[in-house]
Amino acid sequence: MNTINQRKKTMGRKKIEIKKVEKEAYKQVTFSKRRSGLFKKACELCILCDVHLDIIVFSPADKVFYCGFNQPSTDAVLKSYIRGTTEFEDQKLVGDSLLYEEYNREYEKALKMLQMEKKKLADIENLTRDSNRVGWWNDSIDDMSSEQLEHFMMSIFELRKNLLKKNMNI
């Protein structure tokens, strides 16, 4: 027999009927495959035609998927759509760089706060270590910071409470 005639017959690609998928498992699989195809085609359209595009999709599991191309920002595209124009506000065109600058400022601020918190933690650890040594209550309070004084005062109260508790048990 000829090897060409022995090939397995496959169904190949066939056109499917477009109708609502009823089974939940099939819905999720179909959504995932179709979503990636949709996003790919949208990207191709943007590249070929130099258009601005945003796609927001909610999955059957209520997850949000977003795709945007050739646009200053989603807000700018939506506002231009609402205004009925294809022009974006000048501020929106530089909006991304302004947004990045804002994020950088917030990041720097968060880093400073993190460094302050690390310093506070180190100070508390030092105070805790110092309070575990014998005779710490005799230390001079003149050179202590307000945080150190507060910790010192709490340690004194804790010592007093422990002494009273011990005195009651005797």
Side-chain angles (χ1 to χ4, degrees), residues 119-166:
K119 187 180 181 305
K120 284 181 184 178
L121 183 62
D123 288 345
I124 289 172
E125 287 174 350
N126 288 338
L127 285 173
T128 304
R129 187 177 57 241
D130 290 345
S131 66
N132 289 334
R133 68 185 196 345
V134 176
W136 58 267
W137 53 87
N138 291 325
D139 290 349
S140 172
I141 60 171
D142 296 332
D143 297 329
M144 289 185 187
S145 68
S146 61
E147 292 169 3
Q148 290 172 324
L149 284 170
E150 193 173 308
H151 183 73
F152 184 79
M153 187 173 72
M154 290 177 68
S155 298
I156 293 286
F157 285 132
E158 188 68 27
L159 176 66
R160 180 175 174 246
K161 185 172 81 174
N162 289 341
L163 286 172
L164 287 172
K165 198 183 294 182
K166 189 163 189 141

Side-chain angles (χ1 to χ4, degrees), residues 7-121:
R7 255 190 231 167
K8 182 180 176 185
K9 301 278 184 183
T10 62
M11 291 180 63
R13 268 188 155 175
K14 64 179 186 176
K15 190 170 177 116
I16 63 165
E17 182 184 349
I18 302 297
K19 64 177 182 177
K20 184 176 180 179
V21 178
E22 297 301 326
K23 290 189 177 180
E24 288 298 316
Y26 293 165
K27 243 185 226 181
Q28 189 61 43
V29 171
T30 302
F31 172 79
S32 296
K33 289 180 180 180
R34 295 282 177 134
R35 176 181 45 91
S36 61
L38 175 67
F39 287 178
K40 183 179 176 184
K41 289 292 183 185
C43 178
E44 290 171 3
L45 179 66
C46 289
I47 292 169
L48 291 172
C49 302
D50 192 31
V51 295
H52 302 283
L53 179 122
D54 279 299
I55 299 175
I56 301 170
V57 182
F58 295 89
S59 75
D62 288 334
K63 291 184 180 176
V64 177
F65 295 91
Y66 166 80
C67 176
F69 298 99
N70 282 349
Q71 36 83 10
S73 72
T74 303
D75 287 339
V77 172
L78 291 174
K79 285 181 181 177
S80 70
Y81 174 75
I82 291 169
R83 285 193 318 267
T85 67
T86 57
E87 297 177 11
F88 300 104
E89 297 172 6
D90 288 340
Q91 182 181 3
K92 293 300 179 189
L93 289 174
V94 295
D96 285 344
S97 63
L98 291 174
L99 191 61
Y100 292 133
E101 289 174 15
E102 179 69 25
Y103 286 147
N104 283 337
R105 280 194 295 274
E106 288 180 23
Y107 176 72
E108 293 296 327
K109 186 178 175 182
L111 276 179
K112 286 179 184 176
M113 289 177 60
L114 178 64
Q115 293 300 326
M116 288 174 29
E117 291 297 322
K118 283 182 178 179
K119 187 180 181 305
K120 284 181 184 178
L121 183 62

